[in-house]
Amino acid sequence: EQAVTLDDLQALGEASRLAWLLPPERLLEHLPRVNLDQTVAARFRSGQAVRSAGLRPGPARVYGGDALLGVGEGNSAGELRPTRLIASG
């Protein structure tokens, strides 16, 4: 009941089509969340590695405020490197 074919989706109006689309966060819920302040988030969005307190090694979903920035990979030194970024307009 939570799926629709591409043909059916294309036949819908824009508002109905958008109602079927899930936010990207749904794909990343299994990853730990890392919140960055505005300054650090800007560096992360530029592709730079950043430091984050309490970071665990491995992948994490990364936020700047309430906005999902993408996925980063943490290491044991507390460094978070961007691996996939979400384009922002």
Side-chain angles (χ1 to χ4, degrees), residues 37-71:
D37 66 35
Q38 185 177 10
T39 303
V40 177
R43 291 190 0 244
F44 184 85
R45 271 194 305 268
S46 295
Q48 297 177 24
V50 298
R51 294 209 171 271
S52 180
L55 181 67
R56 290 182 278 165
R61 56 190 163 123
V62 183
Y63 289 80
D66 290 332
L68 177 64
L69 304 178
V71 176

Side-chain angles (χ1 to χ4, degrees), residues 32-34 36 50-62 72-81:
R33 180 178 175 141
V34 174
L36 303 177
V50 298
R51 294 209 171 271
S52 180
L55 181 67
R56 290 182 278 165
R61 56 190 163 123
V62 183
E73 183 77 23
N75 63 29
S76 58
E79 188 175 68
L80 180 65
R81 295 188 174 279

Side-chain angles (χ1 to χ4, degrees), residues 6-21:
L6 285 177
D7 289 337
D8 289 342
L9 194 61
Q10 289 175 336
L12 297 172
E14 185 174 353
S16 297
R17 192 170 37 246
L18 290 175
W20 277 100
L21 299 177

